Amino acid sequence: MNDLASHRELKLEVHEHPITEIVLGERTVLEGTRLTVNVTDLKAIAAQEDALADLDVAVARPGESVRIIHALDAVEAMTKVAGPGAVYPGFLGPAVTVGRGTTKKLTGMLVLSTTEFPDATSGGLGYRDGIIDMAGPGRPYCQASNSINLVVSYKPRSGVTNQQLDDAVRRSTLRIAQFIGQTSADLAPAKTTKYELTPVSPELPRIVYIDQIMSQTLMTRTFIYGQQLGDALPTLIHPNELMDGAIVSGNYKNLQKVATYLHCNKPLMKELYRRHGVDLNFVGMVVNRGHRDTFDLKEHGAQYSAKLAKMLGAQGAVIAFEGGGGATVDFMLTVKACEQVGIRPVAEMFEHAAAGSGEFPIVYHVPAADAIVSRGAASEMITAQKVDRVLGGSHRLCLYGGATIIEDASQSFTVATDEYWGVNWQLGESGFVAREY
């Protein structure tokens, strides 16, 4: 069997256990759709990390008057009960190929990590304070605003560096997510879905999904099988691997962020799977890093992505990206490279210019990008409403990279929608589109 054939051979069964309520109690247990969490259990998990002094735990529900700040990541609670490897491979187990066997997931909820970094950041190392409004006018712009969130707020030990804290929070959050997922291990699922790239009619168009992710430096990282993507060449990956947590986020560029739970559940990936064998042949995925340092490196990544797509026999490509202005260049060059090798590309993206500004909405454009699906733009000013509770740590909130300080985040304030957590991808999930240009 050649490598490309084996790439399509992964078979994954996902068992879903919907959660409709989370409460804090004496033991961690799943009973029906109600999850009870014992905080002492979570503290014991966090105690495995020397950089962490303590944690607080709270629950935030959709529609509640709650604002979560200092948000880092949101992770699915899940566990593997059959098949090789562990969920979030490379962090919770060896970096063996996952996407096979049976994985159990608690749906409708997320484990959401928050912390406050001890050292000031700027430039490429800059951290943007993550804001999630669970109600009000800001809610449609926030990832994780439609789920019940178990908010875990970490307190660092004195003297730790930003990187030590970041790494410790990531490992602890993934362990907590697995621990909570294990509450479903012996329970019958409410829903079972089988994922396999089965052989289909040769008459169906062969479609590849090229996913450009963001990985630069501390505070803007993405991990594949536990390793930072760095300057790695584009690579083939099976969608089932993503569903098992092969890609983990460490990107804290607020508006551009794709949370780990979203990497596991990319809407484009799920839609291509749904249509596999119906009106298309989903041949697999290519992952490329955006924001490469020079134009030549961007061109290199784009051409390599197109080459891998061609090796999969793709006739068409759906291409999307995580990132901002510089990443748009990598993205558009990938669109161009696909066209050059005879693959018809469709580009899915957000716009940079504010509606009505008269500015060109795309930072960089190539003529090959003549089929673009827009999620709209996140650049308007809105009034964030006063809230009853603030979760995530101190109430002090830094906007625009520290240019504006809100001393009490429970109060109402005016904010650009691109300050909300993960807004660029949430625009699509909330149904924002561009209707004319």
Side-chain angles (χ1 to χ4, degrees):
M1 181 183 298
N2 63 45
D3 288 342
L4 294 184
S6 63
H7 169 76
R8 295 173 61 87
E9 286 279 314
L10 301 187
K11 301 177 183 180
L12 179 67
E13 188 169 284
V14 175
H15 292 181
E16 295 185 19
H17 298 262
I19 303 300
T20 60
E21 179 62 293
I22 300 177
V23 296
L24 304 182
E26 294 184 356
R27 65 191 184 108
T28 301
V29 61
L30 176 59
E31 298 170 306
T33 63
R34 177 187 173 96
L35 175 68
T36 302
V37 176
N38 180 283
V39 175
T40 301
D41 290 340
L42 307 194
K43 288 177 179 282
I45 293 172
Q48 298 176 44
E49 297 290 342
D50 292 339
L52 302 178
D54 200 2
L55 57 76
D56 292 324
V57 180
V59 180
R61 303 168 183 86
E64 289 185 336
S65 181
V66 174
R67 176 167 294 131
I68 304 167
I69 61 176
H70 316 308
L72 297 187
D73 199 12
V75 178
E76 276 194 301
M78 60 182 182
T79 188
K80 291 199 75 65
V81 293
V87 293
Y88 308 113
F91 287 105
L92 303 186
V96 300
T97 300
V98 292
R100 295 172 283 182
T102 303
T103 300
K104 300 176 80 69
K105 298 189 176 192
L106 275 56
T107 59
M109 69 153 291
L110 295 169
V111 179
L112 200 150
S113 60
T114 79
T115 197
E116 296 173 77
F117 288 102
D119 300 324
T121 64
S122 62
L125 296 174
Y127 159 75
R128 298 285 288 270
D129 237 334
I131 311 168
I132 302 170
D133 277 355
M134 299 300 292
R139 179 181 171 186
Y141 299 96
C142 305
Q143 283 181 40
S145 62
N146 296 319
S147 58
I148 305 173
N149 295 316
L150 184 70
V151 182
V152 183
S153 302
Y154 295 93
K155 301 175 183 179
R157 293 193 185 279
S158 176
V160 303
T161 65
N162 285 356
Q163 181 161 349
Q164 288 171 332
L165 177 58
D166 182 32
D167 291 341
V169 166
R170 181 174 304 104
R171 289 189 294 262
S172 181
T173 302
L174 296 176
R175 290 186 190 116
I176 287 172
Q178 183 188 50
F179 169 72
I180 291 174
Q182 287 168 346
T183 61
S184 68
D186 298 323
L187 303 179
K191 180 181 178 181
T192 297
T193 306
K194 296 181 180 180
Y195 293 97
E196 179 186 2
L197 294 179
T198 55
V200 299
S201 169
E203 302 300 318
L204 294 175
R206 299 172 61 85
I207 307 299
V208 66
Y209 176 21
I210 300 178
D211 191 18
Q212 180 182 300
I213 59 181
M214 193 170 175
S215 194
Q216 295 173 277
T217 184
L218 183 65
M219 306 293 182
T220 319
R221 298 189 286 175
T222 303
F223 301 85
I224 298 183
Y225 282 92
Q227 296 298 312
Q228 184 178 343
L229 190 57
D231 290 326
L233 288 170
T235 186
L236 296 176
I237 195 165
H238 195 289
N240 290 6
E241 295 175 80
L242 273 72
M243 293 182 197
D244 266 352
I247 296 183
V248 170
S249 175
N251 173 17
Y252 310 135
K253 295 293 187 183
N254 236 15
L255 71 163
Q256 302 161 1
K257 178 182 181 61
V258 174
T260 295
Y261 86 89
L262 191 52
H263 282 301
C264 295
N265 297 279
K266 282 288 181 69
L268 291 174
M269 177 180 73
K270 290 288 188 74
E271 177 67 7
L272 289 169
Y273 237 136
R274 187 185 68 82
R275 294 170 61 177
H276 179 68
V278 178
D279 59 358
L280 58 81
N281 180 356
F282 184 18
V283 297
M285 293 180 61
V286 175
V287 171
N288 182 24
R289 175 208 156 182
H291 278 287
R292 294 187 186 271
D293 295 337
T294 68
F295 190 88
D296 286 346
L297 289 175
K298 293 174 188 292
E299 186 81 68
H300 184 215
Q303 292 290 328
Y304 210 96
S305 295
K307 179 181 72 174
L308 292 177
K310 194 69 174 178
M311 290 171 65
L312 289 174
Q315 298 166 306
V318 178
I319 309 173
F321 77 106
E322 173 188 24
T328 309
V329 180
D330 306 69
F331 172 71
M332 284 293 176
L333 290 175
T334 303
V335 172
K336 178 182 176 182
C338 285
E339 188 81 34
Q340 288 173 336
V341 297
I343 298 172
R344 299 180 64 182
V346 173
E348 195 268 356
M349 63 182 300
F350 69 97
E351 299 178 29
H352 289 81
S357 68
E359 299 175 354
F360 192 69
I362 302 172
V363 170
Y364 184 82
H365 181 258
V366 295
D370 57 5
I372 298 176
V373 178
S374 171
R375 296 183 226 124
S379 51
E380 63 179 302
M381 302 298 293
I382 66 170
T383 299
Q385 67 183 24
K386 183 178 180 179
V387 296
D388 295 337
R389 288 193 298 154
V390 174
L391 304 178
S394 75
H395 286 203
R396 192 172 191 265
L397 177 62
C398 298
L399 299 178
Y400 316 115
T404 299
I405 304 297
I406 306 294
E407 293 294 345
D408 182 1
S410 70
Q411 300 302 304
S412 176
F413 52 88
T414 301
V415 63
T417 53
D418 62 10
E419 284 295 301
Y420 280 111
W421 196 69
V423 61
N424 285 352
W425 271 88
Q426 188 60 35
L427 287 171
E429 291 205 24
S430 295
F432 288 90
V433 296
R435 299 197 180 278
E436 62 180 348
Y437 171 68

